[in-house]
Amino acid sequence: MVDIAFGPSVVVQTAGEIKPGSKSEQAYTSIKARIVQGTFSPGYRLVLVKIAEDLGFSVVPVREAIRRLEAEGLVKFERNVGATVSGIDPTEYLYTMQTLSIVEGAATALSAPLIDSAAIARARAVNEEMRECLDHFDPVRFTALNQDFHSVLFEHCPNPHILDLVHRGWNRLASLRSSTFRFVPGRARESVREHEDLLQLIESQASADTIEHAARRHRAATLDAYLAQASAIPEPLPTSQEEKR
Amino acid sequence: MVDIAFGPSVVVQTAGEIKPGSKSEQAYTSIKARIVQGTFSPGYRLVLVKIAEDLGFSVVPVREAIRRLEAEGLVKFERNVGATVSGIDPTEYLYTMQTLSIVEGAATALSAPLIDSAAIARARAVNEEMRECLDHFDPVRFTALNQDFHSVLFEHCPNPHILDLVHRGWNRLASLRSSTFRFVPGRARESVREHEDLLQLIESQASADTIEHAARRHRAATLDAYLAQASAIPEPLPTSQEEKR
DNA sequence: GCAATACTCATCGTATACGATTTCGTACTT
DNA sequence: AAGTACGAAATCGTATACGATGAGTATTGC
């Protein structure tokens, strides 16, 4: 596993304690972790008092935490009704993936000129790990490695806002994936190949447009694979840059 | 002025009362409005107690509101220190504009196939109003009309997440503009022309790529104009899709 | 038996109070 | 005179308590 400097709102993987911080902070990371890991799956009812006594806190910090999660789109908070983990709707998955494809594409294109050969080597190492992972397939591990791969590329992304949007997308996606939406068989292998293609584009200093398009397609292809297998969605909205060809 | 269904987090323009809602809600909209309008300019220190007694509320709803604003990037909230309106840094303006150019581009491309002739007519009417506005130039009014114009285009945007990102960008931008960053002379006139170009692209059912690129350039050009006049920024980062031509 | 109304309970919303932390000013020392 | 240490004020952080609101349930009338 490559050592990566994660952004502020990246997926929480170590549930252990790092530092106390404020209780509001703790509540935030704790609840977020459970949502992302799937302990609180979409539709789960988050009752303030229950969570509060579960964590040993009062309700006020928990409220704050939930408000923050609401702003990130992970939960829905209705007045006098309560909070529920959002994203039962299949269209949520679609929108999240579509948005993610756009911001990841932009982030990759912005980062590409700043990626040095050492970083490319590290990214390639992660991708090889993913390739090895294909045989004994573990979705959780694969997803983690996938995020590692892209995190390496985004290491020197000049625009922190874009990066933040990527991280939010990843969190939402993790929340959705852990419950309803499953990996499409065979897609993982394609993904590894596309990663290699992407690295070569970056190495060859391809135009920003080319890289952006490739990165965007990389994510969009996963969505397409899902749409192709799951006909549960009534009328699939056009994934961007799709209908023209 | 065209009647537009604004999204949930769009710039607040009428400071009047709409409905009581929760006090947390009121505090949120109230503080947000002041930030966007420039009453609280970047760097302004938001003291919980002062705001609370100013609004006649307690501190708890105010805390919540500030947390939400923090999640939107409008304020920075440090533990045991307090909240300040974010965005004094010129790079903030750059990043915000860059991000906005990306999400607006995507939103326009996604919306384009769904825009009917009636909507185009309305957008054109707004643009004509902007043209008339050029003589007796009023930045506030011009910005409002500009948002109206794009809002018409985004009316049937299929992806609410993208739309949300656009609105957040607008809010951040308003916060920044009202203080440090001024309009670049002559840019407004170009903007009106680009709007017309954009409408013609949509009418002629140009490819999604073409429309996305045009919409992105539309925003990026404003950033370029700013960078060209203000040499305050040490080394301007490349705006996406820039360096290749 | 069904529907409409009233009631109760779970849960959220906010105020107040107090403890914790930081910051700033002041005095003392070198 | 400059730096440091101490202390007080300002501000944030959280707990507790109570009021408000909506949902679910029982009850009563038809």
Side-chain angles (χ1 to χ4, degrees):
Chain A
M1 177 93 53
V2 178
D3 186 11
I4 298 155
F6 281 110
S9 68
V10 85
V11 173
V12 179
Q13 282 163 350
T14 64
E17 81 308 288
I18 296 92
K19 57 177 178 180
S22 66
K23 297 199 175 179
S24 152
E25 203 81 18
Q26 282 180 258
Y28 169 75
T29 51
S30 177
I31 299 172
K32 184 169 172 178
R34 298 194 202 187
I35 291 176
V36 167
Q37 289 167 8
T39 313
F40 296 158
S41 47
Y44 188 91
R45 183 78 179 280
L46 299 170
V47 179
L48 293 182
V49 187
K50 287 182 70 177
I51 296 180
E53 67 185 19
D54 186 32
L55 294 171
F57 300 161
S58 171
V59 291
V60 179
V62 177
R63 272 186 71 85
E64 240 178 56
I66 288 186
R67 280 292 192 206
R68 283 218 265 168
L69 293 167
E70 183 196 22
E72 290 184 26
L74 284 175
V75 308
K76 187 157 167 262
F77 200 22
E78 283 174 298
R79 173 178 169 75
N80 286 325
V81 174
T84 53
V85 179
S86 64
I88 327 169
D89 196 342
T91 57
E92 269 308 300
Y93 181 73
L94 196 152
Y95 293 143
T96 302
M97 288 289 278
Q98 192 177 53
T99 306
L100 202 44
S101 85
I102 289 159
V103 294
E104 278 183 335
T108 309
L110 288 174
S111 303
L114 305 169
I115 299 175
D116 54 22
S117 55
I120 288 188
R122 271 183 298 147
R124 191 162 270 141
V126 175
N127 199 36
E128 288 310 313
E129 224 173 324
M130 291 177 76
R131 196 189 302 279
E132 290 164 17
C133 186
L134 285 174
D135 298 326
H136 315 291
F137 189 65
D138 172 15
V140 175
R141 177 162 162 70
F142 192 81
T143 301
L145 285 171
N146 187 52
Q147 289 190 7
D148 286 348
F149 176 84
H150 289 285
S151 291
V152 172
L153 298 187
F154 298 157
E155 245 169 5
H156 300 294
C157 178
N159 189 330
H161 293 184
I162 292 282
L163 216 46
D164 185 54
L165 297 183
V166 171
H167 290 153
R168 291 192 182 198
W170 285 354
N171 282 327
R172 301 206 49 157
L173 203 53
S175 155
L176 293 169
R177 269 233 192 84
S178 61
S179 60
T180 319
F181 305 97
R182 297 267 151 251
F183 277 91
V184 177
R187 175 62 197 149
R189 195 170 297 273
E190 281 181 41
S191 189
V192 171
R193 182 162 45 240
E194 287 169 14
H195 282 177
E196 182 53 38
D197 294 345
L198 202 54
L199 286 179
Q200 289 184 7
L201 280 178
I202 294 170
E203 276 181 322
S204 67
Q205 297 182 6
S207 78
D209 265 346
T210 307
I211 291 174
E212 175 161 6
H213 191 266
R216 189 184 282 199
R217 277 310 304 163
H218 172 52
R219 174 66 67 183
T222 304
L223 175 58
D224 291 344
Y226 170 78
L227 291 176
Q229 89 157 15
S231 55
I233 288 124
E235 41 183 16
L237 301 170
T239 59
S240 70
Q241 302 187 343
E242 193 67 42
E243 67 279 4
K244 80 160 193 184
R245 60 177 59 107
Chain B
M1 177 93 56
V2 178
D3 185 11
I4 299 156
F6 280 109
S9 69
V10 84
V11 173
V12 179
Q13 281 164 353
T14 63
E17 82 306 288
I18 295 91
K19 58 179 178 182
S22 65
K23 296 198 176 180
S24 152
E25 203 80 19
Q26 282 179 257
Y28 169 76
T29 53
S30 178
I31 299 171
K32 184 170 174 177
R34 297 193 204 188
I35 292 176
V36 167
Q37 289 166 9
T39 312
F40 295 158
S41 47
Y44 187 92
R45 183 80 181 279
L46 298 171
V47 179
L48 292 184
V49 187
K50 288 182 70 176
I51 295 179
E53 66 186 17
D54 187 32
L55 294 172
F57 300 160
S58 173
V59 292
V60 180
V62 176
R63 273 186 71 86
E64 241 178 57
I66 288 185
R67 280 291 192 205
R68 284 217 265 167
L69 293 168
E70 184 196 21
E72 291 184 26
L74 284 174
V75 309
K76 186 155 167 266
F77 200 22
E78 283 174 299
R79 173 178 168 76
N80 286 324
V81 173
T84 52
V85 179
S86 64
I88 327 168
D89 196 342
T91 57
E92 269 309 299
Y93 180 74
L94 196 152
Y95 294 142
T96 302
M97 288 290 278
Q98 192 176 54
T99 306
L100 202 44
S101 84
I102 288 159
V103 294
E104 278 183 336
T108 309
L110 288 174
S111 303
L114 304 170
I115 299 175
D116 55 21
S117 56
I120 289 188
R122 271 183 299 147
R124 191 162 269 142
V126 175
N127 199 37
E128 287 311 313
E129 225 174 323
M130 291 176 76
R131 195 189 303 279
E132 290 164 17
C133 185
L134 286 174
D135 298 327
H136 314 292
F137 189 66
D138 172 16
V140 176
R141 177 163 162 69
F142 193 81
T143 301
L145 285 171
N146 187 51
Q147 289 191 7
D148 285 349
F149 176 84
H150 289 285
S151 291
V152 172
L153 298 187
F154 297 158
E155 248 169 4
H156 300 294
C157 179
N159 189 329
H161 293 184
I162 292 282
L163 214 46
D164 185 53
L165 297 183
V166 171
H167 290 153
R168 290 193 182 197
W170 285 354
N171 282 328
R172 298 208 52 160
L173 201 55
S175 154
L176 294 168
R177 268 233 192 84
S178 61
S179 59
T180 320
F181 305 96
R182 298 268 151 249
F183 277 90
V184 176
R187 175 62 198 148
R189 196 170 297 274
E190 280 181 42
S191 188
V192 171
R193 183 161 45 240
E194 286 170 14
H195 281 177
E196 182 53 37
D197 295 345
L198 201 54
L199 287 179
Q200 288 183 9
L201 280 179
I202 294 170
E203 274 181 323
S204 66
Q205 297 181 3
S207 78
D209 266 345
T210 308
I211 291 175
E212 175 162 5
H213 190 267
R216 189 184 282 199
R217 276 310 305 163
H218 172 52
R219 174 65 68 181
T222 304
L223 176 57
D224 291 344
Y226 170 77
L227 292 177
Q229 90 157 16
S231 55
I233 288 124
E235 42 183 17
L237 302 170
T239 59
S240 68
Q241 303 187 341
E242 192 67 42
E243 68 278 5
K244 78 158 195 184
R245 62 176 58 105

